[in-house]
Amino acid sequence: MEADRFFTDLKNNFINKDIVGRLITVNVVVFVFVALVNVFLTLFEVSYNPLEHYLSLPAWIDTFIFQPWSLLTYMFMHGGILHILFNMLWLYWFGKFFLNFYSSKHLRGLYFLGGFCGGLLYIFAYNIFPYFEGMVFHSTLVGASASVLAIVVAAAVRQPEYPVQFMFIGTVRLKYVALFMIVTDLMMMTSNNAGGHIAHIGGALAGLWFAIGLQNGHDVTKWINAVFDFFARGMKLAPRKPKMRVHYGDRAQQYDYNARKKSDEEEINRILEKLKKSGYGSLSEGEKKKLFDASRR
């Protein structure tokens, strides 16, 4: 019973969060769970964690074919505490800002669209460019960075002149923040974290695609939200609307109540009209009392 109540409270707490809080919660829960599995395996001197393998996005197409779900799960995986910390901070700051101009469903859809585009561009680049030929077989991708950058770029397109405060730097307009991140990723495409930077570019392109499309009346995240709404209804995760309770009493009593209420309203109107014409002194004690009682309701 206590366990059921605990999980019910967790579910209700999750449902009551906004979309930014929900995404951060899922990322943190996945990170903690995988870390605990790593600790458990390490105690038994097992160096291989199959959970990490199957949830991370492989660069090699032959491997990806057998774990296509990793295109979704990788964006909730992280390689360390600093990795998830900075991603979640950026998601929180820019996610809250994003919600000033777009809806919660837009943010949810764009988070996944950015992740999908980032992951697909990563796989494409590693299998096309000769530079990655020696890395493609063992490289994997984790992190929410592509999703976060999609949100940043979409916010920058919507409000390019918005001032962003940075410690030691000062105020920078949002469009320059987004541009700096994109240029940096382009310059780092051959670094040790090449896959991550390529995925960032894919996320940025998704954010640009979404923002420009929405300006032209086309929501590219609509299909993603339709899929998640379908599964949310199936799992009953959507917030429930309070049910209206209707009590049916004796019909004659209801008629009597309505008649008395109408009579009282007519009497008050008559007293107010008399007050307007002849003044307060013209009212009887009974009329004064009725007017006083009505004013307290």
PDB file of all heavy atoms in Angstrom, residues 35-65:
ATOM      1  N   ALA A  35      23.964   5.053 -13.787  1.00  0.00           N
ATOM      2  CA  ALA A  35      25.129   5.174 -12.907  1.00  0.00           C
ATOM      3  C   ALA A  35      25.094   4.121 -11.805  1.00  0.00           C
ATOM      4  O   ALA A  35      26.134   3.533 -11.460  1.00  0.00           O
ATOM      5  CB  ALA A  35      25.178   6.577 -12.297  1.00  0.00           C
ATOM      6  N   LEU A  36      23.922   3.860 -11.252  1.00  0.00           N
ATOM      7  CA  LEU A  36      23.800   2.841 -10.199  1.00  0.00           C
ATOM      8  C   LEU A  36      24.078   1.445 -10.750  1.00  0.00           C
ATOM      9  O   LEU A  36      24.700   0.614 -10.075  1.00  0.00           O
ATOM     10  CB  LEU A  36      22.399   2.895  -9.582  1.00  0.00           C
ATOM     11  CG  LEU A  36      22.103   4.122  -8.715  1.00  0.00           C
ATOM     12  CD1 LEU A  36      20.651   4.103  -8.258  1.00  0.00           C
ATOM     13  CD2 LEU A  36      23.037   4.174  -7.506  1.00  0.00           C
ATOM     14  N   VAL A  37      23.628   1.188 -11.972  1.00  0.00           N
ATOM     15  CA  VAL A  37      23.931  -0.098 -12.610  1.00  0.00           C
ATOM     16  C   VAL A  37      25.434  -0.235 -12.807  1.00  0.00           C
ATOM     17  O   VAL A  37      26.011  -1.312 -12.581  1.00  0.00           O
ATOM     18  CB  VAL A  37      23.195  -0.226 -13.960  1.00  0.00           C
ATOM     19  CG1 VAL A  37      23.678  -1.461 -14.728  1.00  0.00           C
ATOM     20  CG2 VAL A  37      21.692  -0.300 -13.738  1.00  0.00           C
ATOM     21  N   ASN A  38      26.094   0.842 -13.201  1.00  0.00           N
ATOM     22  CA  ASN A  38      27.553   0.823 -13.358  1.00  0.00           C
ATOM     23  C   ASN A  38      28.254   0.505 -12.039  1.00  0.00           C
ATOM     24  O   ASN A  38      29.223  -0.266 -12.004  1.00  0.00           O
ATOM     25  CB  ASN A  38      28.044   2.172 -13.888  1.00  0.00           C
ATOM     26  CG  ASN A  38      28.070   2.227 -15.403  1.00  0.00           C
ATOM     27  OD1 ASN A  38      28.269   1.211 -16.064  1.00  0.00           O
ATOM     28  ND2 ASN A  38      27.835   3.396 -15.954  1.00  0.00           N
ATOM     29  N   VAL A  39      27.779   1.118 -10.964  1.00  0.00           N
ATOM     30  CA  VAL A  39      28.366   0.869  -9.641  1.00  0.00           C
ATOM     31  C   VAL A  39      28.207  -0.605  -9.265  1.00  0.00           C
ATOM     32  O   VAL A  39      29.146  -1.259  -8.786  1.00  0.00           O
ATOM     33  CB  VAL A  39      27.712   1.765  -8.582  1.00  0.00           C
ATOM     34  CG1 VAL A  39      28.151   1.345  -7.176  1.00  0.00           C
ATOM     35  CG2 VAL A  39      28.083   3.227  -8.819  1.00  0.00           C
ATOM     36  N   PHE A  40      27.013  -1.138  -9.486  1.00  0.00           N
ATOM     37  CA  PHE A  40      26.731  -2.538  -9.160  1.00  0.00           C
ATOM     38  C   PHE A  40      27.640  -3.478  -9.948  1.00  0.00           C
ATOM     39  O   PHE A  40      28.220  -4.420  -9.402  1.00  0.00           O
ATOM     40  CB  PHE A  40      25.263  -2.840  -9.456  1.00  0.00           C
ATOM     41  CG  PHE A  40      24.871  -4.252  -9.183  1.00  0.00           C
ATOM     42  CD1 PHE A  40      24.610  -4.683  -7.880  1.00  0.00           C
ATOM     43  CD2 PHE A  40      24.752  -5.172 -10.223  1.00  0.00           C
ATOM     44  CE1 PHE A  40      24.247  -5.999  -7.629  1.00  0.00           C
ATOM     45  CE2 PHE A  40      24.388  -6.485  -9.973  1.00  0.00           C
ATOM     46  CZ  PHE A  40      24.139  -6.897  -8.672  1.00  0.00           C
ATOM     47  N   LEU A  41      27.782  -3.210 -11.251  1.00  0.00           N
ATOM     48  CA  LEU A  41      28.627  -4.071 -12.089  1.00  0.00           C
ATOM     49  C   LEU A  41      30.091  -3.964 -11.699  1.00  0.00           C
ATOM     50  O   LEU A  41      30.831  -4.954 -11.727  1.00  0.00           O
ATOM     51  CB  LEU A  41      28.436  -3.693 -13.559  1.00  0.00           C
ATOM     52  CG  LEU A  41      27.059  -4.002 -14.166  1.00  0.00           C
ATOM     53  CD1 LEU A  41      26.970  -3.465 -15.588  1.00  0.00           C
ATOM     54  CD2 LEU A  41      26.765  -5.499 -14.134  1.00  0.00           C
ATOM     55  N   THR A  42      30.517  -2.756 -11.334  1.00  0.00           N
ATOM     56  CA  THR A  42      31.918  -2.544 -10.935  1.00  0.00           C
ATOM     57  C   THR A  42      32.249  -3.337  -9.674  1.00  0.00           C
ATOM     58  O   THR A  42      33.368  -3.857  -9.530  1.00  0.00           O
ATOM     59  CB  THR A  42      32.181  -1.046 -10.704  1.00  0.00           C
ATOM     60  OG1 THR A  42      31.894  -0.329 -11.906  1.00  0.00           O
ATOM     61  CG2 THR A  42      33.629  -0.803 -10.308  1.00  0.00           C
ATOM     62  N   LEU A  43      31.303  -3.431  -8.767  1.00  0.00           N
ATOM     63  CA  LEU A  43      31.527  -4.203  -7.536  1.00  0.00           C
ATOM     64  C   LEU A  43      31.835  -5.663  -7.845  1.00  0.00           C
ATOM     65  O   LEU A  43      32.542  -6.335  -7.082  1.00  0.00           O
ATOM     66  CB  LEU A  43      30.301  -4.105  -6.624  1.00  0.00           C
ATOM     67  CG  LEU A  43      30.048  -2.735  -5.974  1.00  0.00           C
ATOM     68  CD1 LEU A  43      28.726  -2.731  -5.230  1.00  0.00           C
ATOM     69  CD2 LEU A  43      31.194  -2.372  -5.032  1.00  0.00           C
ATOM     70  N   PHE A  44      31.302  -6.151  -8.955  1.00  0.00           N
ATOM     71  CA  PHE A  44      31.566  -7.527  -9.373  1.00  0.00           C
ATOM     72  C   PHE A  44      32.646  -7.592 -10.453  1.00  0.00           C
ATOM     73  O   PHE A  44      32.803  -8.612 -11.128  1.00  0.00           O
ATOM     74  CB  PHE A  44      30.272  -8.177  -9.895  1.00  0.00           C
ATOM     75  CG  PHE A  44      29.287  -8.490  -8.814  1.00  0.00           C
ATOM     76  CD1 PHE A  44      28.293  -7.579  -8.485  1.00  0.00           C
ATOM     77  CD2 PHE A  44      29.361  -9.670  -8.097  1.00  0.00           C
ATOM     78  CE1 PHE A  44      27.370  -7.854  -7.493  1.00  0.00           C
ATOM     79  CE2 PHE A  44      28.445  -9.963  -7.099  1.00  0.00           C
ATOM     80  CZ  PHE A  44      27.450  -9.044  -6.780  1.00  0.00           C
ATOM     81  N   GLU A  45      33.355  -6.446 -10.608  1.00  0.00           N
ATOM     82  CA  GLU A  45      34.464  -6.336 -11.559  1.00  0.00           C
ATOM     83  C   GLU A  45      34.013  -6.645 -12.991  1.00  0.00           C
ATOM     84  O   GLU A  45      34.737  -7.281 -13.765  1.00  0.00           O
ATOM     85  CB  GLU A  45      35.632  -7.237 -11.151  1.00  0.00           C
ATOM     86  CG  GLU A  45      36.254  -6.825  -9.812  1.00  0.00           C
ATOM     87  CD  GLU A  45      37.506  -7.620  -9.500  1.00  0.00           C
ATOM     88  OE1 GLU A  45      37.724  -8.675 -10.128  1.00  0.00           O
ATOM     89  OE2 GLU A  45      38.268  -7.176  -8.620  1.00  0.00           O
ATOM     90  N   VAL A  46      32.814  -6.173 -13.330  1.00  0.00           N
ATOM     91  CA  VAL A  46      32.307  -6.300 -14.704  1.00  0.00           C
ATOM     92  C   VAL A  46      32.447  -4.937 -15.358  1.00  0.00           C
ATOM     93  O   VAL A  46      31.852  -3.955 -14.922  1.00  0.00           O
ATOM     94  CB  VAL A  46      30.828  -6.741 -14.710  1.00  0.00           C
ATOM     95  CG1 VAL A  46      30.304  -6.794 -16.146  1.00  0.00           C
ATOM     96  CG2 VAL A  46      30.679  -8.094 -14.019  1.00  0.00           C
ATOM     97  N   SER A  47      33.234  -4.859 -16.399  1.00  0.00           N
ATOM     98  CA  SER A  47      33.527  -3.569 -17.029  1.00  0.00           C
ATOM     99  C   SER A  47      32.524  -3.187 -18.109  1.00  0.00           C
ATOM    100  O   SER A  47      32.450  -2.024 -18.516  1.00  0.00           O
ATOM    101  CB  SER A  47      34.930  -3.580 -17.646  1.00  0.00           C
ATOM    102  OG  SER A  47      35.044  -4.625 -18.602  1.00  0.00           O
ATOM    103  N   TYR A  48      31.736  -4.152 -18.575  1.00  0.00           N
ATOM    104  CA  TYR A  48      30.806  -3.895 -19.681  1.00  0.00           C
ATOM    105  C   TYR A  48      29.385  -3.703 -19.146  1.00  0.00           C
ATOM    106  O   TYR A  48      28.870  -4.565 -18.422  1.00  0.00           O
ATOM    107  CB  TYR A  48      30.847  -5.056 -20.679  1.00  0.00           C
ATOM    108  CG  TYR A  48      29.794  -4.983 -21.759  1.00  0.00           C
ATOM    109  CD1 TYR A  48      29.873  -4.032 -22.777  1.00  0.00           C
ATOM    110  CD2 TYR A  48      28.715  -5.880 -21.755  1.00  0.00           C
ATOM    111  CE1 TYR A  48      28.898  -3.972 -23.771  1.00  0.00           C
ATOM    112  CE2 TYR A  48      27.748  -5.831 -22.751  1.00  0.00           C
ATOM    113  CZ  TYR A  48      27.851  -4.872 -23.748  1.00  0.00           C
ATOM    114  OH  TYR A  48      26.891  -4.811 -24.723  1.00  0.00           O
ATOM    115  N   ASN A  49      28.781  -2.572 -19.493  1.00  0.00           N
ATOM    116  CA  ASN A  49      27.398  -2.306 -19.093  1.00  0.00           C
ATOM    117  C   ASN A  49      26.507  -2.417 -20.326  1.00  0.00           C
ATOM    118  O   ASN A  49      26.492  -1.521 -21.173  1.00  0.00           O
ATOM    119  CB  ASN A  49      27.276  -0.905 -18.478  1.00  0.00           C
ATOM    120  CG  ASN A  49      25.876  -0.617 -17.943  1.00  0.00           C
ATOM    121  OD1 ASN A  49      24.931  -1.357 -18.216  1.00  0.00           O
ATOM    122  ND2 ASN A  49      25.747   0.456 -17.185  1.00  0.00           N
ATOM    123  N   PRO A  50      25.742  -3.483 -20.463  1.00  0.00           N
ATOM    124  CA  PRO A  50      24.901  -3.663 -21.663  1.00  0.00           C
ATOM    125  C   PRO A  50      23.836  -2.568 -21.791  1.00  0.00           C
ATOM    126  O   PRO A  50      23.411  -2.248 -22.900  1.00  0.00           O
ATOM    127  CB  PRO A  50      24.256  -5.040 -21.444  1.00  0.00           C
ATOM    128  CG  PRO A  50      24.343  -5.279 -19.975  1.00  0.00           C
ATOM    129  CD  PRO A  50      25.593  -4.600 -19.520  1.00  0.00           C
ATOM    130  N   LEU A  51      23.433  -1.994 -20.659  1.00  0.00           N
ATOM    131  CA  LEU A  51      22.425  -0.932 -20.705  1.00  0.00           C
ATOM    132  C   LEU A  51      22.949   0.281 -21.472  1.00  0.00           C
ATOM    133  O   LEU A  51      22.242   0.863 -22.300  1.00  0.00           O
ATOM    134  CB  LEU A  51      22.040  -0.537 -19.277  1.00  0.00           C
ATOM    135  CG  LEU A  51      20.767   0.297 -19.114  1.00  0.00           C
ATOM    136  CD1 LEU A  51      19.560  -0.471 -19.630  1.00  0.00           C
ATOM    137  CD2 LEU A  51      20.575   0.678 -17.659  1.00  0.00           C
ATOM    138  N   GLU A  52      24.191   0.662 -21.188  1.00  0.00           N
ATOM    139  CA  GLU A  52      24.798   1.781 -21.900  1.00  0.00           C
ATOM    140  C   GLU A  52      24.905   1.483 -23.389  1.00  0.00           C
ATOM    141  O   GLU A  52      24.682   2.354 -24.236  1.00  0.00           O
ATOM    142  CB  GLU A  52      26.179   2.090 -21.320  1.00  0.00           C
ATOM    143  CG  GLU A  52      26.158   2.764 -19.963  1.00  0.00           C
ATOM    144  CD  GLU A  52      27.548   3.125 -19.508  1.00  0.00           C
ATOM    145  OE1 GLU A  52      28.507   2.438 -19.934  1.00  0.00           O
ATOM    146  OE2 GLU A  52      27.701   4.078 -18.725  1.00  0.00           O
ATOM    147  N   HIS A  53      25.261   0.252 -23.698  1.00  0.00           N
ATOM    148  CA  HIS A  53      25.443  -0.139 -25.105  1.00  0.00           C
ATOM    149  C   HIS A  53      24.137  -0.028 -25.885  1.00  0.00           C
ATOM    150  O   HIS A  53      24.099   0.545 -26.983  1.00  0.00           O
ATOM    151  CB  HIS A  53      25.976  -1.569 -25.177  1.00  0.00           C
ATOM    152  CG  HIS A  53      26.027  -2.126 -26.566  1.00  0.00           C
ATOM    153  ND1 HIS A  53      26.993  -1.751 -27.485  1.00  0.00           N
ATOM    154  CD2 HIS A  53      25.209  -3.007 -27.206  1.00  0.00           C
ATOM    155  CE1 HIS A  53      26.778  -2.385 -28.624  1.00  0.00           C
ATOM    156  NE2 HIS A  53      25.712  -3.156 -28.483  1.00  0.00           N
ATOM    157  N   TYR A  54      23.056  -0.528 -25.331  1.00  0.00           N
ATOM    158  CA  TYR A  54      21.795  -0.585 -26.063  1.00  0.00           C
ATOM    159  C   TYR A  54      21.012   0.726 -26.050  1.00  0.00           C
ATOM    160  O   TYR A  54      20.112   0.912 -26.871  1.00  0.00           O
ATOM    161  CB  TYR A  54      20.927  -1.714 -25.508  1.00  0.00           C
ATOM    162  CG  TYR A  54      21.423  -3.082 -25.913  1.00  0.00           C
ATOM    163  CD1 TYR A  54      21.982  -3.939 -24.970  1.00  0.00           C
ATOM    164  CD2 TYR A  54      21.360  -3.502 -27.247  1.00  0.00           C
ATOM    165  CE1 TYR A  54      22.454  -5.194 -25.339  1.00  0.00           C
ATOM    166  CE2 TYR A  54      21.827  -4.749 -27.619  1.00  0.00           C
ATOM    167  CZ  TYR A  54      22.379  -5.590 -26.662  1.00  0.00           C
ATOM    168  OH  TYR A  54      22.857  -6.815 -27.043  1.00  0.00           O
ATOM    169  N   LEU A  55      21.353   1.639 -25.154  1.00  0.00           N
ATOM    170  CA  LEU A  55      20.654   2.921 -25.107  1.00  0.00           C
ATOM    171  C   LEU A  55      21.416   4.025 -25.841  1.00  0.00           C
ATOM    172  O   LEU A  55      20.852   5.077 -26.125  1.00  0.00           O
ATOM    173  CB  LEU A  55      20.402   3.349 -23.655  1.00  0.00           C
ATOM    174  CG  LEU A  55      19.475   2.448 -22.835  1.00  0.00           C
ATOM    175  CD1 LEU A  55      19.263   3.034 -21.445  1.00  0.00           C
ATOM    176  CD2 LEU A  55      18.135   2.239 -23.537  1.00  0.00           C
ATOM    177  N   SER A  56      22.688   3.804 -26.124  1.00  0.00           N
ATOM    178  CA  SER A  56      23.495   4.788 -26.856  1.00  0.00           C
ATOM    179  C   SER A  56      23.300   4.599 -28.359  1.00  0.00           C
ATOM    180  O   SER A  56      23.007   3.497 -28.830  1.00  0.00           O
ATOM    181  CB  SER A  56      24.977   4.633 -26.504  1.00  0.00           C
ATOM    182  OG  SER A  56      25.178   4.788 -25.104  1.00  0.00           O
ATOM    183  N   LEU A  57      23.494   5.677 -29.105  1.00  0.00           N
ATOM    184  CA  LEU A  57      23.283   5.630 -30.553  1.00  0.00           C
ATOM    185  C   LEU A  57      24.570   5.235 -31.270  1.00  0.00           C
ATOM    186  O   LEU A  57      25.561   5.973 -31.232  1.00  0.00           O
ATOM    187  CB  LEU A  57      22.812   7.004 -31.051  1.00  0.00           C
ATOM    188  CG  LEU A  57      22.519   7.120 -32.549  1.00  0.00           C
ATOM    189  CD1 LEU A  57      21.359   6.219 -32.946  1.00  0.00           C
ATOM    190  CD2 LEU A  57      22.218   8.575 -32.921  1.00  0.00           C
ATOM    191  N   PRO A  58      24.593   4.088 -31.952  1.00  0.00           N
ATOM    192  CA  PRO A  58      25.805   3.664 -32.656  1.00  0.00           C
ATOM    193  C   PRO A  58      25.947   4.406 -33.989  1.00  0.00           C
ATOM    194  O   PRO A  58      24.960   4.713 -34.657  1.00  0.00           O
ATOM    195  CB  PRO A  58      25.572   2.168 -32.883  1.00  0.00           C
ATOM    196  CG  PRO A  58      24.087   2.033 -32.956  1.00  0.00           C
ATOM    197  CD  PRO A  58      23.520   3.083 -32.028  1.00  0.00           C
ATOM    198  N   ALA A  59      27.184   4.660 -34.376  1.00  0.00           N
ATOM    199  CA  ALA A  59      27.429   5.327 -35.656  1.00  0.00           C
ATOM    200  C   ALA A  59      27.314   4.361 -36.826  1.00  0.00           C
ATOM    201  O   ALA A  59      26.899   4.743 -37.923  1.00  0.00           O
ATOM    202  CB  ALA A  59      28.813   5.973 -35.647  1.00  0.00           C
ATOM    203  N   TRP A  60      27.673   3.105 -36.605  1.00  0.00           N
ATOM    204  CA  TRP A  60      27.683   2.120 -37.679  1.00  0.00           C
ATOM    205  C   TRP A  60      26.247   1.708 -38.005  1.00  0.00           C
ATOM    206  O   TRP A  60      25.484   1.269 -37.136  1.00  0.00           O
ATOM    207  CB  TRP A  60      28.511   0.907 -37.264  1.00  0.00           C
ATOM    208  CG  TRP A  60      28.844  -0.008 -38.401  1.00  0.00           C
ATOM    209  CD1 TRP A  60      28.911   0.311 -39.729  1.00  0.00           C
ATOM    210  CD2 TRP A  60      29.163  -1.390 -38.294  1.00  0.00           C
ATOM    211  NE1 TRP A  60      29.259  -0.780 -40.479  1.00  0.00           N
ATOM    212  CE2 TRP A  60      29.436  -1.851 -39.623  1.00  0.00           C
ATOM    213  CE3 TRP A  60      29.280  -2.290 -37.240  1.00  0.00           C
ATOM    214  CZ2 TRP A  60      29.787  -3.164 -39.890  1.00  0.00           C
ATOM    215  CZ3 TRP A  60      29.643  -3.597 -37.522  1.00  0.00           C
ATOM    216  CH2 TRP A  60      29.888  -4.033 -38.824  1.00  0.00           C
ATOM    217  N   ILE A  61      25.850   1.840 -39.257  1.00  0.00           N
ATOM    218  CA  ILE A  61      24.474   1.573 -39.672  1.00  0.00           C
ATOM    219  C   ILE A  61      24.074   0.129 -39.386  1.00  0.00           C
ATOM    220  O   ILE A  61      22.941  -0.144 -38.960  1.00  0.00           O
ATOM    221  CB  ILE A  61      24.288   1.891 -41.166  1.00  0.00           C
ATOM    222  CG1 ILE A  61      24.429   3.393 -41.410  1.00  0.00           C
ATOM    223  CG2 ILE A  61      22.921   1.418 -41.657  1.00  0.00           C
ATOM    224  CD1 ILE A  61      24.283   3.811 -42.854  1.00  0.00           C
ATOM    225  N   ASP A  62      24.992  -0.830 -39.606  1.00  0.00           N
ATOM    226  CA  ASP A  62      24.664  -2.234 -39.383  1.00  0.00           C
ATOM    227  C   ASP A  62      24.281  -2.502 -37.930  1.00  0.00           C
ATOM    228  O   ASP A  62      23.437  -3.364 -37.654  1.00  0.00           O
ATOM    229  CB  ASP A  62      25.852  -3.117 -39.776  1.00  0.00           C
ATOM    230  CG  ASP A  62      26.064  -3.162 -41.280  1.00  0.00           C
ATOM    231  OD1 ASP A  62      25.286  -2.494 -41.991  1.00  0.00           O
ATOM    232  OD2 ASP A  62      27.002  -3.831 -41.738  1.00  0.00           O
ATOM    233  N   THR A  63      24.895  -1.778 -37.009  1.00  0.00           N
ATOM    234  CA  THR A  63      24.537  -1.924 -35.594  1.00  0.00           C
ATOM    235  C   THR A  63      23.236  -1.194 -35.289  1.00  0.00           C
ATOM    236  O   THR A  63      22.383  -1.699 -34.556  1.00  0.00           O
ATOM    237  CB  THR A  63      25.658  -1.357 -34.698  1.00  0.00           C
ATOM    238  OG1 THR A  63      26.895  -1.996 -35.021  1.00  0.00           O
ATOM    239  CG2 THR A  63      25.340  -1.585 -33.221  1.00  0.00           C
ATOM    240  N   PHE A  64      23.081  -0.011 -35.865  1.00  0.00           N
ATOM    241  CA  PHE A  64      21.876   0.788 -35.610  1.00  0.00           C
ATOM    242  C   PHE A  64      20.612   0.074 -36.062  1.00  0.00           C
ATOM    243  O   PHE A  64      19.559   0.180 -35.428  1.00  0.00           O
ATOM    244  CB  PHE A  64      21.998   2.139 -36.325  1.00  0.00           C
ATOM    245  CG  PHE A  64      20.731   2.943 -36.299  1.00  0.00           C
ATOM    246  CD1 PHE A  64      20.269   3.492 -35.117  1.00  0.00           C
ATOM    247  CD2 PHE A  64      19.998   3.136 -37.463  1.00  0.00           C
ATOM    248  CE1 PHE A  64      19.086   4.237 -35.093  1.00  0.00           C
ATOM    249  CE2 PHE A  64      18.825   3.872 -37.450  1.00  0.00           C
ATOM    250  CZ  PHE A  64      18.371   4.418 -36.254  1.00  0.00           C
ATOM    251  N   ILE A  65      20.701  -0.678 -37.144  1.00  0.00           N
ATOM    252  CA  ILE A  65      19.532  -1.390 -37.670  1.00  0.00           C
ATOM    253  C   ILE A  65      18.934  -2.321 -36.621  1.00  0.00           C
ATOM    254  O   ILE A  65      17.711  -2.513 -36.555  1.00  0.00           O
ATOM    255  CB  ILE A  65      19.909  -2.179 -38.943  1.00  0.00           C
ATOM    256  CG1 ILE A  65      20.176  -1.207 -40.102  1.00  0.00           C
ATOM    257  CG2 ILE A  65      18.816  -3.168 -39.329  1.00  0.00           C
ATOM    258  CD1 ILE A  65      20.701  -1.873 -41.351  1.00  0.00           C
TER     259      ILE A  65
END
